[in-house]
Amino acid sequence: VPIIAIAPMLNIWVGPGLRAATGSALIVSVFPIIANTITGIRSVDPALRDLFKLYRGSRVQTLVKLELPSALPNIFTGVRIAAGLSVIGTIVGEFVAGFADDDAGLGIKILVANKQLRTDLSFAAVGIASALGLVMFVVVGAIATRLTRRWHASSQGG
């Protein structure tokens, strides 16, 4: 279900304002992380799974010592995607449930600027939102590279 359809429901369920915008960002962000984590866990080398079975590794041991470490690049890919999507989810949440007060977020700034025909302000808010999404993407990517470079050749840039 598109977030634009869910956002009004969040407004009803949790009330307008920051909680609805945060809920919108969470809904948009959680699915890429889950999908990439599952993909990473399923792509573990079958020979390594067999080795864990041979040594009678429990399901929890296999998950913690084999599957999750092997899935780290996929997990961080999901987090990287979610970081960018969270900006979109927040803005959509603000479109539907935000308040136009002094602490208004970028979504409200965009709506107000469009209603006032202030294209300069609208483009500035969209530019800031784009920059925020890119910065979050790059920061999460840098953290992922730093945390996984010892374990995964895919994180070493070559």
Side-chain angles (χ1 to χ4, degrees):
V1 178
I3 192 61
I4 198 72
I6 295 173
M9 303 302 257
L10 288 172
N11 196 19
I12 294 168
W13 292 329
V14 299
L18 183 61
R19 287 186 295 178
T22 304
S24 178
L26 179 71
I27 289 169
V28 169
S29 301
V30 74
F31 293 109
I33 297 170
I34 291 170
N36 279 293
T37 300
I38 290 170
T39 300
I41 288 172
R42 288 184 176 167
S43 65
V44 171
D45 184 2
L48 291 174
R49 284 187 199 276
D50 291 343
L51 184 64
F52 268 72
K53 286 179 186 174
L54 179 68
Y55 284 104
R56 293 187 178 94
S58 70
R59 179 70 188 121
V60 172
Q61 286 175 324
T62 303
L63 178 68
V64 171
K65 294 182 179 181
L66 174 64
E67 293 172 344
L68 287 177
S70 295
L72 275 178
N74 293 76
I75 294 169
F76 280 119
T77 297
V79 172
R80 218 177 284 142
I81 293 167
L85 287 176
S86 68
V87 176
I88 295 169
T90 302
I91 289 176
V92 169
E94 288 177 356
F95 281 169
V96 175
F99 287 113
D101 57 4
D102 291 338
D103 295 332
L106 288 173
I108 295 298
K109 300 278 188 206
I110 293 168
L111 285 177
V112 170
N114 284 336
K115 288 186 186 226
Q116 295 174 349
L117 299 175
R118 296 274 319 269
T119 55
D120 58 333
L121 187 58
S122 184
F123 273 105
V126 170
I128 290 170
S130 299
L132 180 62
L134 286 171
V135 166
M136 290 175 67
F137 183 87
V138 169
V139 167
V140 170
I143 291 168
T145 300
R146 185 156 192 202
L147 290 177
T148 61
R149 71 177 157 206
R150 284 193 324 189
W151 296 310
H152 292 281
S154 64
S155 299
Q156 295 177 1

